[in-house]
Amino acid sequence: MASFSAALVALLVASCAAAAAATTFDVGDGHGWQTGLDYTTWTSDKTFAVGDTLVFNYTSKAHTVTEVNKSGYDACSGGNSLSNDDSGATTITLTTPGVHYFICDVAGHCAGGMKLAVTVTVAGGSTTGGTIPAGAAGASLVPAMSAIVVAAAAGALVPLALFC
Ligand SMILES: [Cu+2]
């Protein structure tokens, strides 16, 4: 029984770590935040969840990272910005699900490609009525659920609560 318990604990720890894992995305990867890139293409193969972080790297004062609403994004207007930074290294933690919009508010830069829209899903794969991409979200949920079922069967709900 001891070895079974040890295995169970290891499974729980691994599951909790997987469920809680947040991803840090370097916007534009090695290219950073600049004109001439297509950030729609950059996001196309990525899944963003609540708790993930976006890091924008650029020359300080040369660009801004301005969070806007959809109309600001569509019009390339930072007039009603939700946040704004031009420090050169802007870190944005995605704290709410839905679509988040970012532009560069330097004249001409948004039109030149510096606009980013990311669709943020609820971590763990539950849905709030939206647009969960198939695959990635569910894949992390299933092992976590399995661990909970196993833990319940073993009467280990108290340790589970401690670990998560
Ligand atoms: Cu710019």
Side-chain angles (χ1 to χ4, degrees), residues 97 122 126-132:
V122 176
S126 59
T127 175
T128 53
T131 51
I132 303 287

Side-chain angles (χ1 to χ4, degrees), residues 21-27 29 42 48 51-55 91-92:
T23 305
T24 298
F25 294 96
D26 288 321
V27 175
D29 295 320
W42 180 77
F48 302 90
D52 289 351
T53 299
L54 301 176
V55 178
T91 298
I92 302 280

Side-chain angles (χ1 to χ4, degrees), residues 62-63 104 109 114:
H63 301 290
C104 175
H109 287 198
M114 297 186 72

Side-chain angles (χ1 to χ4, degrees), residues 98-125:
V99 186
H100 294 245
Y101 301 94
F102 304 91
I103 64 170
C104 175
D105 202 25
V106 174
H109 287 198
C110 174
M114 297 186 72
K115 55 192 305 186
L116 171 68
V118 297
T119 300
V120 179
T121 60
V122 176

Side-chain angles (χ1 to χ4, degrees), residues 34-113:
Q34 59 168 284
T35 56
L37 289 181
D38 182 345
Y39 292 94
T40 302
T41 299
W42 180 77
T43 59
S44 63
D45 63 348
K46 296 173 181 66
T47 301
F48 302 90
V50 168
D52 289 351
T53 299
L54 301 176
V55 178
F56 296 77
N57 291 302
Y58 52 98
T59 303
S60 175
K61 310 295 184 190
H63 301 290
T64 75
V65 176
T66 304
E67 183 167 7
V68 295
N69 59 19
K70 185 177 190 306
S71 62
Y73 175 86
D74 289 340
C76 278
S77 169
N80 293 311
S81 65
L82 305 170
S83 68
N84 188 60
D85 184 55
D86 62 0
S87 66
T90 304
T91 298
I92 302 280
T93 299
L94 302 167
T95 57
T96 57
V99 186
H100 294 245
Y101 301 94
F102 304 91
I103 64 170
C104 175
D105 202 25
V106 174
H109 287 198
C110 174

